[in-house]
Amino acid sequence: MSLTVDVERITAGRRADTYLAVRSVQGGRTVYSTRVPLLDLDKILPVPDPDHTDPDNRRVDARHAKSFGEYLTAHEAWVAPTLLARDNGSCTFHPVDGSDGTVGYLDIPWSTGTVGALSTIDGQHRILGVRTEIQRLTNEIDKLDRELDRARAENRIRTLTGKREDLKAALERIQQEAIGLDIYVEPDPVAARQMFVDVADNAKGISTALRARFDGSKIANRTLDRVVDHALLHNNVDLEQDRMTRNNTNFIGAKHVADLTRAVAVGVSGRISKKREATLSDEAVVESVHNFLDCISTAFTDLAAIADGTLRPDELRGRSLLASVGMLRVLAGTYHELNAKDIADDDIASFFATLDPHMTTPVADDGIWRRTEASRNFEPEASAPVMRTQNLQHLVSVVTSWYPAAPR
């Protein structure tokens, strides 16, 4: 009997994987660009340990990594930037004939079971997050299998089976997807450390204002464009900056609009959980925020002037508490509390109007903000309340208790 063995199909003992890659040059270094299945990341790249800092990288945040993994499962249309890694010289590139040396097969040694070739320059949290999420989904499926073995009631079996199918579908999707990887050939460890610093120095983080504009996963953000159509905010919102400096001609920033939306929807210290998010209607939230903006535009003379264009926002700063984002959040939180008591918007506006004479800054020691229970939330001669969440919540409670009229 004659046997023919295809040795190419035998992988035992192999401690490397091969990827199709493009070879180029950047900054004088050879760079290999490829796509790596998410399932392969922990094979060819070191998995960071949250309890031990890599001497050539920053400490990894386990919570941040976990949130990326959960993001992968929750968003089928997920997106993430290319990972950056350093090759110490152990990878081998085999050019494809006819590619002029730019396209070829790249052999990458595994990070375990051999001397690893790659170290991470940028992407630690994505690597750990993928590993953590695959483990979580696998463990959850195993747990459901054990529960199914014990289940007897049809409803229970049906529920467990549905959960298992959802988790299995999520796991299979993640296992079939890939992420970009750029590998820089740099044998010198000192130069490799400089690469990490250069990447960190040149990375421009996204401001909270930009996140508020573009993060459609949160209702307070995705309703932003419609909320700012209100006369008080129209052309008066800074869509780039998080801080309102004295000379900023805008009234508030995009982040602050999102803060007001949350305060109107769930209170000044409330959080919109995923479960709560699913119960909220975008249209209802926009209507509620517009009703709040109507109330304060009617109640406060200066805000009415901003809404009709006769007063510039920068002219308000330094003379009124209404220029303070903190005070606006307090008013939004108060509106939420009174609205929950079924108090009509017209009555809320009338109540807010009784606060109008007390909005002058700096706050006076004999004014209502310093001689009442509200005093713990204002420093002497302040132009804004103390911005700690507990102070804003307390101030909301105090102002709400004054309804239907502020103290004289």
Side-chain angles (χ1 to χ4, degrees), residues 274-285:
K274 292 180 181 179
K275 185 175 181 180
R276 183 65 183 275
E277 184 98 27
T279 67
L280 294 174
S281 158
D282 289 16
E283 290 70 23
V285 168

Side-chain angles (χ1 to χ4, degrees), residues 7 9 15 31 47 55-56 76 84 97 100 117 119 139 192 202 206 216 236 255 294 299 319 376 385:
V7 295
R9 300 186 63 178
R15 291 294 180 265
V31 181
V47 178
D56 294 324
E76 291 190 15
L84 304 183
D97 292 342
D100 198 26
S119 56
N139 292 339
N202 287 294
I206 184 171
N236 283 326
K255 169 189 180 298
D294 285 342
R319 82 178 203 194
R376 63 190 268 189

